[in-house]
Structures are given as structure tokens and as C-alpha cells.
Amino acid sequence: MFSLVNSNFSRTYNPTGRNALSDIKRLLTSRDTESQNKSCGYLIEVISRYDCNSNERSRMVQYLLDNDIVVFLCEATSNLDFSLLRSILQCVRLLWREHRFFEEEHATHALAAVVRALVHYSAIDALAAVDTCLHFICDLLHGIKSHKTTSALSHQSAYNIEQLLACILTIGNRICNKPNTILNSALVLDALISYQPTGLDLKGSVGKVLVETLDKWLEMLMSGLNHVMLVGQSDIGMMLVVTCQLGVNTLRLTNVLENSKEPVNFINKILKDEQEIAMLKECSSKMRNSIYNIIKQLVVFVKENQQEINTEEYGVFLKFLLNFMYENRKTDILPDFCDILFSKGYLIMLPQTQLIRNDITVRKVSILVLGEMLKILTEKYLYVDDNSNSETCIEDINMGLVELQYGIEKPQNIGMQLQKNQSYSLLIYVYFYCQSSQNPEESTAPLLPYLIEYILRFSKGSKPPGYVIKALWLVFAMSTVSNGSLESLDQRVYLEKATDRLVAMLYPNPAIYYTHNPAILFWAFTSSRISNNVKLHVLSEWFKTENSLPNDLTKGSMIWELLLNLITQSKDDTVITNSMDALNMCLDDADETTKEEFAILIWSMLPSVLSKALIDCENELDKNICYILDIATTQLPAQIDQSICLKVAVLITTLYSKNIPESNNILSKLHYEYVCLKMCLLLLGISRNRNENKVLLTFINRSGFLPSVLTATNSSDDGVACIALQLLSYIVFCFTNIEYQPKTIIEIQTDLIIKSLRYDIENERGSSLLQLVYTILNSNTNTPLVLTYNLKEHPSQSDQCYALRGLMFRIQLMLCSRDPKNQSKAAWKTLSSIYKHAIVYKNDLKLVATLTSQPWTHTLIRFQLTQNLTQEFLTFTQNWLTLLKVTIKKGKELKKQHISKRSLIMKTLMFLNNNLNGDEFKESSDNLLTIVRQTLEECNSRE
């Protein structure tokens, strides 16, 4: 057969004279598997007789291609016999060594035929045949690349890539647990997208299917890696390499998609398809998201399984990592990605792995990855607002990669490397390294002598870039705190000098160089050379995040004073709140002696704090003093200097008398009012216990203070209203006892009290209001607060009568409708005080007669007799009957009036006489019964 075909490309076949190639074509189309296999065998035998690179083989292949043998071979694949398919694919592999195979349409026929076969074999789960087809397609795509013909992805090619991608996408669900088939499919995708010649132009529809396929296969590869690592059935190396290569090539393809179809000349600009361009750019964006999701998973996978990954495969991963960082330099995702690397310990892992593997490629790429990480992390965490040039920082890191590499490879010489002029990158690396290390003391403690020398080399007044100062501060703080080996005097002197030099670098605003780390907090309290100003900045920044302090720092008066200064000076609500939490925790853990020292400290600070608030806040609410007053009212020293009490009283009444702008936050305003009033109440109590009246007179004589307190009684907050009412009651009580003549009198309208009692029946505000009314009614005429009965300037007797009747009626309703325990005592006492006020201070018998004759009084007494008796009720009833007896007697004398036996008075008296027989409050009950019987006798008397 060979001789017949080979002799001058004979076109005759003895003895019949037929063309040999025609017989082969006839056999291929016979539909008989054995005949088709034989024809493939003939072709393989003929082509294989020549050397691969010989001219004879080339002429033979060209002859076969000229006669369309590929079409017949592709037609034979429709037989779907696996042994025949392998023979056909072997024939095609021999034919594609010629450039013509790819330049013309032979390769497109072959690809279409194998894809059809692949669809069939995948449907019947013939995995061996599927893998064979995938291998062939992969090699075919590599052949396209090696011969540099039109890419299969290009819309100018004749390849039906959409069909191939749809086929791969379809078989994905059937091979999810078959690692080898997943790997072969991934190799096909990688071969497809890796060839990206200049001017590659994709159709939007192809890009859309390609995105979907790549996304699915990247996830399947990642799942396959985890599955293989879990069951340990095969090596993960090849799958990891393919995943990384596919990721790199996908990144390259995104750039192609973003630049695809961009018009170059005028005609193309007119004809350009905006929708197509938008679709391709959307595909690119989705591809970038897929790569980002996969590389995040790969970062975790490699970190957890680095011992099972070979050096070469690890190097491929590093290259993928580096490519990803290069490709996303100008995007927003890189800072977050570097945070992931940082949190997973890559700053520690990369140098360690580099030393262990000792491979030049790994060494080089590791340092480049570290450099990129440092650039991004520095920009995110170390840049400060000091006009530092970011380009200079990047250049410093690039220039210092040599020192960085040398320092990593020889950790014992890191300190020496720091002495070089451009050691910024190494310092920045140590800054991040010590924050990710579980034991930063080991890495920072030995650096202290070198850091001291490094800092002292800066001349006085000179400052390195801000990002260097920030890194230097943390590293120096960690080294200082963790190193306890500086025993000689010279070393300690140099340490103090270095500390001074570093503190000078931090000014004028240390906060911008702060890193949230306990080391800086501890460092701030290690040396007396560190000013309180720096300590306050450090504490302020600390409390922006934390609400407590380490136990080692909570002891000693210095930290207490700093916390108080921070509370009074800071304008950040979070800082103040967290400082208060920390201070309260300190107080909870402190002993009585320490608490006493703190109480003395805070009360000694109060006058200066309030003075500063009075000067600085002319038309604003100083929220800081709210917290300091809160603490002062809960922490009282055993002895308080009366002069301090008076100073605080003068200052706080002045502050409170100022008009608070309505623009202030309502909660802050309520808090401010509450603590001020609470402090006033406390000061008044301290003064009264010492028989001092200066504080009371300050409250009375301060213009605008009492009206402001009176206004606060109508506050929307019950706490503010109650404390204001209690303060007014106490002021009236104390003032009445000292019998001073008030300079001004404030009138409280009775009708407003009645309205307020209507809505505050069951809360503490009602009790406080009743207490104030009781105190006012029981005071003499020399009181700064009085009840006014009408809006008229000079109310008549009838107006007074109506007002007091209304007040009494409201209180009676409160007691009769329900009997809240927290108000019953105050209500009964207040009712009694109304009678006392009418007869003692008003000396008006007509008013007394009117008040004692109210019908509701009888109803209330009957109701109360069905409840538990109280001493206050018995006292009220006794007072009422005493006045009622006087009223009845006067009625008889003046108007000759007599009480009917059927009257309401007689019924009430009889009810009292019959129900006051209990053992509780026996003495009071007996006295009351005596008055009841006397009143009955008075009513029955006709004289």
C-alpha cells in the first residue's frame, strides 16, 4: 500500500487502476467500524514512514490536505466508536503539523467534530472518551497558538467557540467529583484564553459565555483542590498550577476585553456598536470579580497547606499573586486584599517559606510581593496628613527592597540594616510584622539599641516623612516596653535622649502618628520625660476604640487625673463615653482609700473646670462638665471644704442661669440640666448639715437661677423635673427655717399645678410636685416661692377660694380613683397643709368653711375607710374634723344653722364612728374618735 501511494504520488491502485486515496475515503464513509479503522491505519502508516521534519512527510500531508482528507476523517467521528475515535484523532494529530492545517479551515472541522463527540460521551458518562476529547481539543488549541494563526476566540475565525464553551459548561455538572476531568477541562480553557494575539477582537456573546464558564470552572478547581486535600487521593500540584495559570491568563484577557472594539479611525467611530463595547466591559468586570474571589480562597488554601505544596508549584502561586497585585494597582480592591494577606500572616509566612525553600525564583517573587504589600498597607495605614509625597514613599520602598531581603534572610542583622540611609522599607516591614506576630516581643526587644542609635542620628529639629515617624513610634514603643536589658546608666541616658527626640518628632499633633496598639499606651507611661500632653493624645486615641484600660495602668493618681482631664477637655462623644466607662471600672476595683483620694482630687478640680466652662462656652452647652458633675455627685470625700462648696455653688448657678440655646441636642441638654440640679441639691444638703447658709443665699440671690429651676419642673424628662421639684422644695424648707426676708418672690400658678397633677398621677413627678406644694403651703410668708391663685395681680377672696378648692379636688381625685403607694402619704399631708395654710397664713374663716364643706371630702373619707388605714389619713381626718367643728359652731352662732340628721356630714361622722375600731394606729384612732363624737354632739346640739 505504501509503495503504491508513494511512487510519485501515484493516483492508481493496481490491478484495477483505481486511486488509492479514493479507496481510503470510501472506507472512511462506509459506516463500518473495522473498515474505517483500517483506513485510518493506512494513513497513519503512510505518514509515519517519513521523518517528522522531512520534506517527504510535508509533501504527503499537503497532498492529503489538498484532497480534503480531514473532512472525511471528521465525518467518520459520527460513528461514535471510541477505538475509531482514537485512530481518527491520531491521524489528525499527524496532519496538523503543517501550518496549512490551521491557516485553512481543516482545524475548524476537526474541532467541531470532536466537540460533537464530546457532547455524546459526556452524556453517557464515558469519562475515558471525554478525557481523550479534552486532551485533543487542548492540543489543537495549543497548535493554533504555536502556528500563530487567528485565535479561536476572535470573531474573525471560523471556530464555533460558543458551541465548545456551551459543551464544557454543560458537562460541568456531571464531573463535579471527577478531579482529572475537571483538570482536563481547565486545561482546555487555559489553552483557549492563553493565546491573545495583538488585535484580538471578541464578540459580546462569546465574552458572556466565556465569563460564565470561567467563573464556574475556577470554583470547581478550588473545590477540587479542597476535595483532593481532604481525601488525599492524588497530588494537588497540577491542579494548583492550572488554577493559577488560568487565573493569570484570565487577568490578561480582562485587559483585552476592556480595550476590545475601541474604534481607531473615523469610519469605525461612526460604525462602532456601543452595546457591544458595554457588554465586553461588563464581562471584564465580572472576570475580575471571579479572579478576586478565587485568589482570596487560594490565599487561605496555600497558607493552610503550604507543607504539601512543592516549591515549583508554590512559585507559580506567587507569580499569580504578584500578577494580580500588578493588574489591580489602580483599583479599590487591593487595600482590602492586602488586609486579607496581612490577617492570614503572609508578612511572616513569605519570609519563612523563602528561607525554607531556598529557591531563587521563590526568593525574588516573594520580595516583590512583600514590596507590593508594603506599598498598599503603608498607603492605607501609615500615610498621615503631613504633606508627605506618596511617590516618594513608593520609591523608598522600592529602593529598600535589597535591605529588606537581606534583613529577612539574616534576621540577626536586622538592627545593622536599620543603620543604612534608606532603611525605610525594613522599618515599615517590622512595623507590620510585629503587629501580625503572636509574640512581637521576640522581634522587637533586640532592636532597641539599634533604634536608639537610629533615632539619635536624626538632627534636632529634623523630621523624617510622616509614615516613617508613625512606623518608628510603634516599633520603638514595642522595643522599649519589651526590652528590660538596659541596665547601665549610659544606656538609660541614651534611651531618654531618644525618647525626647521621638517626642519632638510627634509635635505639634501626635494623634496623626498614633497606631492603636497597647504598646504605645504602655510606652506613654514608661518615662517621666513624656509630657502629659502626649499622654492625653494617646489616651484620647485609645478611647476612640476601647472603653477600658489595662490593669497595670489603672493604679496611681496620675492616670485618674489624666482621665478627668480627658473627660473635661475632649470634644469627641465616643472618647468621653469610653473614658467614663474606664473610670467607672477603675472605681469599681479601687479600695476605699483610693476612692477617697480620687474624691478629694475631683472636688479640688471642680472650681477650675466650671470656671473654664463659664469662660469658654458663652452661648454653647458644655457637655464635658456633665460627666465631671456626674462623677462628683457620686464620689464624695469624707470632708469637703466649705469654701469649695461655695465656689462650686456660685459657678454652677451662674452656668445654669444662662440661656441654653435651642440648637443643642435635646438629650445633652437634659443630661446637663439633671447633673447641675443634682449638684445644687447635694451642695444645699452639705451646707445645711453644717448650718451654713451661704450656699442657700447664693441660690436665692443669683438672678435667673430660681426661674430656670422652676422652668425645669415642666421638663419632658421625669428625672429633670423631679430633681428640680426636689431642689425647690428643699430651698423653700431651708429658707423658711432661717427666717430671712427674700429680696424677690417667684409665684407658682396654682392652675398649672392642677393641670400637671392631672397627667402625673402615677409617677415620681407627681409625688415631687405634691411635696413642693406641701412645703410651700407649710412655709411662712417669708418664702421665695408662693402659690398664686389667678393671673390677676391682686386676686379676690373668691379667686383664692376657687384655686385652693381646685387644688384640693385634684388631690382628692388622685387618692380616690387609685391609691399609688408612692404618692398617698404626700397627698394626705398636702391636703392637711391646705387647711393649715387657709387658717394660719390666710386667717380666713370663710375660706376654711368653704374648704371643709366640700362634698368630695366625705366621699374620699368613706373610700379610704375601706382601704388600709395610714397615719397620714388619720391626721388629715382629725384636722378636717377640728376645722369642721369650728365651722359648724360659727354657723350656729352667726346664721343659726343646724345640721340635719340626714345630712352628708352626719352620715360621714356615723361612718367614722362605726369603722374606726382597728388595733393599728390605736392612739391616733382613739383621738380621732373623740373628735368625731364631739362633732356629733355639736351637730345634735340645738342651743
PDB file of all heavy atoms in Angstrom, residues 918-932:
ATOM      1  N   GLY A 918     -60.016  49.592 114.607  1.00  0.00           N
ATOM      2  CA  GLY A 918     -58.868  48.704 114.415  1.00  0.00           C
ATOM      3  C   GLY A 918     -57.794  48.925 115.462  1.00  0.00           C
ATOM      4  O   GLY A 918     -57.739  49.945 116.147  1.00  0.00           O
ATOM      5  N   ASP A 919     -56.916  47.911 115.583  1.00  0.00           N
ATOM      6  CA  ASP A 919     -55.807  47.991 116.543  1.00  0.00           C
ATOM      7  C   ASP A 919     -54.648  48.817 116.008  1.00  0.00           C
ATOM      8  O   ASP A 919     -53.826  49.321 116.780  1.00  0.00           O
ATOM      9  CB  ASP A 919     -55.311  46.577 116.872  1.00  0.00           C
ATOM     10  CG  ASP A 919     -56.378  45.780 117.622  1.00  0.00           C
ATOM     11  OD1 ASP A 919     -57.194  46.416 118.308  1.00  0.00           O
ATOM     12  OD2 ASP A 919     -56.362  44.538 117.512  1.00  0.00           O
ATOM     13  N   GLU A 920     -54.518  48.921 114.657  1.00  0.00           N
ATOM     14  CA  GLU A 920     -53.411  49.667 114.066  1.00  0.00           C
ATOM     15  C   GLU A 920     -53.617  51.172 114.284  1.00  0.00           C
ATOM     16  O   GLU A 920     -54.735  51.675 114.124  1.00  0.00           O
ATOM     17  CB  GLU A 920     -53.329  49.353 112.566  1.00  0.00           C
ATOM     18  CG  GLU A 920     -52.034  49.868 111.927  1.00  0.00           C
ATOM     19  CD  GLU A 920     -51.944  49.449 110.464  1.00  0.00           C
ATOM     20  OE1 GLU A 920     -52.941  48.918 109.930  1.00  0.00           O
ATOM     21  OE2 GLU A 920     -50.882  49.645 109.869  1.00  0.00           O
ATOM     22  N   PHE A 921     -52.538  51.858 114.626  1.00  0.00           N
ATOM     23  CA  PHE A 921     -52.600  53.291 114.934  1.00  0.00           C
ATOM     24  C   PHE A 921     -53.697  53.573 115.975  1.00  0.00           C
ATOM     25  O   PHE A 921     -54.529  54.468 115.808  1.00  0.00           O
ATOM     26  CB  PHE A 921     -52.862  54.124 113.671  1.00  0.00           C
ATOM     27  CG  PHE A 921     -51.934  53.811 112.530  1.00  0.00           C
ATOM     28  CD1 PHE A 921     -52.406  53.206 111.382  1.00  0.00           C
ATOM     29  CD2 PHE A 921     -50.572  54.118 112.615  1.00  0.00           C
ATOM     30  CE1 PHE A 921     -51.565  52.918 110.331  1.00  0.00           C
ATOM     31  CE2 PHE A 921     -49.735  53.831 111.569  1.00  0.00           C
ATOM     32  CZ  PHE A 921     -50.212  53.228 110.421  1.00  0.00           C
ATOM     33  N   LYS A 922     -53.691  52.782 117.066  1.00  0.00           N
ATOM     34  CA  LYS A 922     -54.790  52.839 118.039  1.00  0.00           C
ATOM     35  C   LYS A 922     -54.897  54.209 118.703  1.00  0.00           C
ATOM     36  O   LYS A 922     -55.992  54.764 118.843  1.00  0.00           O
ATOM     37  CB  LYS A 922     -54.588  51.747 119.095  1.00  0.00           C
ATOM     38  CG  LYS A 922     -55.720  51.692 120.129  1.00  0.00           C
ATOM     39  CD  LYS A 922     -55.593  50.476 120.996  1.00  0.00           C
ATOM     40  CE  LYS A 922     -56.710  50.438 122.018  1.00  0.00           C
ATOM     41  NZ  LYS A 922     -58.038  50.467 121.429  1.00  0.00           N
ATOM     42  N   GLU A 923     -53.753  54.771 119.071  1.00  0.00           N
ATOM     43  CA  GLU A 923     -53.792  56.057 119.760  1.00  0.00           C
ATOM     44  C   GLU A 923     -54.381  57.146 118.868  1.00  0.00           C
ATOM     45  O   GLU A 923     -55.251  57.924 119.289  1.00  0.00           O
ATOM     46  CB  GLU A 923     -52.385  56.443 120.201  1.00  0.00           C
ATOM     47  CG  GLU A 923     -52.355  57.740 120.995  1.00  0.00           C
ATOM     48  CD  GLU A 923     -50.958  58.084 121.476  1.00  0.00           C
ATOM     49  OE1 GLU A 923     -50.043  57.234 121.310  1.00  0.00           O
ATOM     50  OE2 GLU A 923     -50.769  59.203 121.996  1.00  0.00           O
ATOM     51  N   SER A 924     -53.946  57.178 117.609  1.00  0.00           N
ATOM     52  CA  SER A 924     -54.468  58.186 116.679  1.00  0.00           C
ATOM     53  C   SER A 924     -55.941  57.950 116.396  1.00  0.00           C
ATOM     54  O   SER A 924     -56.738  58.898 116.289  1.00  0.00           O
ATOM     55  CB  SER A 924     -53.666  58.148 115.372  1.00  0.00           C
ATOM     56  OG  SER A 924     -52.310  58.460 115.595  1.00  0.00           O
ATOM     57  N   SER A 925     -56.317  56.681 116.294  1.00  0.00           N
ATOM     58  CA  SER A 925     -57.723  56.358 116.031  1.00  0.00           C
ATOM     59  C   SER A 925     -58.601  56.774 117.199  1.00  0.00           C
ATOM     60  O   SER A 925     -59.720  57.302 117.021  1.00  0.00           O
ATOM     61  CB  SER A 925     -57.869  54.855 115.762  1.00  0.00           C
ATOM     62  OG  SER A 925     -57.155  54.469 114.614  1.00  0.00           O
ATOM     63  N   ASP A 926     -58.084  56.542 118.405  1.00  0.00           N
ATOM     64  CA  ASP A 926     -58.872  56.928 119.586  1.00  0.00           C
ATOM     65  C   ASP A 926     -59.037  58.441 119.645  1.00  0.00           C
ATOM     66  O   ASP A 926     -60.137  58.950 119.976  1.00  0.00           O
ATOM     67  CB  ASP A 926     -58.178  56.418 120.859  1.00  0.00           C
ATOM     68  CG  ASP A 926     -58.243  54.903 120.978  1.00  0.00           C
ATOM     69  OD1 ASP A 926     -59.072  54.290 120.266  1.00  0.00           O
ATOM     70  OD2 ASP A 926     -57.439  54.330 121.752  1.00  0.00           O
ATOM     71  N   ASN A 927     -57.990  59.170 119.366  1.00  0.00           N
ATOM     72  CA  ASN A 927     -58.088  60.633 119.368  1.00  0.00           C
ATOM     73  C   ASN A 927     -59.095  61.107 118.329  1.00  0.00           C
ATOM     74  O   ASN A 927     -59.877  62.049 118.571  1.00  0.00           O
ATOM     75  CB  ASN A 927     -56.724  61.263 119.093  1.00  0.00           C
ATOM     76  CG  ASN A 927     -55.741  61.030 120.222  1.00  0.00           C
ATOM     77  OD1 ASN A 927     -56.150  60.814 121.365  1.00  0.00           O
ATOM     78  ND2 ASN A 927     -54.452  61.071 119.901  1.00  0.00           N
ATOM     79  N   LEU A 928     -59.046  60.446 117.168  1.00  0.00           N
ATOM     80  CA  LEU A 928     -59.969  60.828 116.102  1.00  0.00           C
ATOM     81  C   LEU A 928     -61.405  60.521 116.504  1.00  0.00           C
ATOM     82  O   LEU A 928     -62.339  61.309 116.249  1.00  0.00           O
ATOM     83  CB  LEU A 928     -59.610  60.106 114.799  1.00  0.00           C
ATOM     84  CG  LEU A 928     -60.490  60.397 113.586  1.00  0.00           C
ATOM     85  CD1 LEU A 928     -60.496  61.897 113.284  1.00  0.00           C
ATOM     86  CD2 LEU A 928     -59.998  59.623 112.357  1.00  0.00           C
ATOM     87  N   LEU A 929     -61.625  59.375 117.167  1.00  0.00           N
ATOM     88  CA  LEU A 929     -62.973  59.010 117.610  1.00  0.00           C
ATOM     89  C   LEU A 929     -63.506  60.028 118.622  1.00  0.00           C
ATOM     90  O   LEU A 929     -64.705  60.365 118.630  1.00  0.00           O
ATOM     91  CB  LEU A 929     -62.965  57.608 118.224  1.00  0.00           C
ATOM     92  CG  LEU A 929     -63.042  56.438 117.241  1.00  0.00           C
ATOM     93  CD1 LEU A 929     -62.850  55.117 117.970  1.00  0.00           C
ATOM     94  CD2 LEU A 929     -64.369  56.451 116.497  1.00  0.00           C
ATOM     95  N   THR A 930     -62.621  60.501 119.446  1.00  0.00           N
ATOM     96  CA  THR A 930     -63.033  61.518 120.414  1.00  0.00           C
ATOM     97  C   THR A 930     -63.552  62.763 119.714  1.00  0.00           C
ATOM     98  O   THR A 930     -64.608  63.327 120.069  1.00  0.00           O
ATOM     99  CB  THR A 930     -61.847  61.878 121.323  1.00  0.00           C
ATOM    100  OG1 THR A 930     -61.398  60.710 122.003  1.00  0.00           O
ATOM    101  CG2 THR A 930     -62.255  62.941 122.348  1.00  0.00           C
ATOM    102  N   ILE A 931     -62.799  63.201 118.666  1.00  0.00           N
ATOM    103  CA  ILE A 931     -63.218  64.394 117.925  1.00  0.00           C
ATOM    104  C   ILE A 931     -64.504  64.112 117.156  1.00  0.00           C
ATOM    105  O   ILE A 931     -65.398  64.990 117.046  1.00  0.00           O
ATOM    106  CB  ILE A 931     -62.106  64.841 116.977  1.00  0.00           C
ATOM    107  CG1 ILE A 931     -60.862  65.253 117.791  1.00  0.00           C
ATOM    108  CG2 ILE A 931     -62.554  65.997 116.098  1.00  0.00           C
ATOM    109  CD1 ILE A 931     -59.668  65.600 116.938  1.00  0.00           C
ATOM    110  N   VAL A 932     -64.660  62.892 116.637  1.00  0.00           N
ATOM    111  CA  VAL A 932     -65.886  62.530 115.911  1.00  0.00           C
ATOM    112  C   VAL A 932     -67.090  62.651 116.850  1.00  0.00           C
ATOM    113  O   VAL A 932     -68.152  63.213 116.490  1.00  0.00           O
ATOM    114  CB  VAL A 932     -65.767  61.102 115.344  1.00  0.00           C
ATOM    115  CG1 VAL A 932     -67.132  60.603 114.855  1.00  0.00           C
ATOM    116  CG2 VAL A 932     -64.756  61.066 114.214  1.00  0.00           C
TER     117      VAL A 932
END
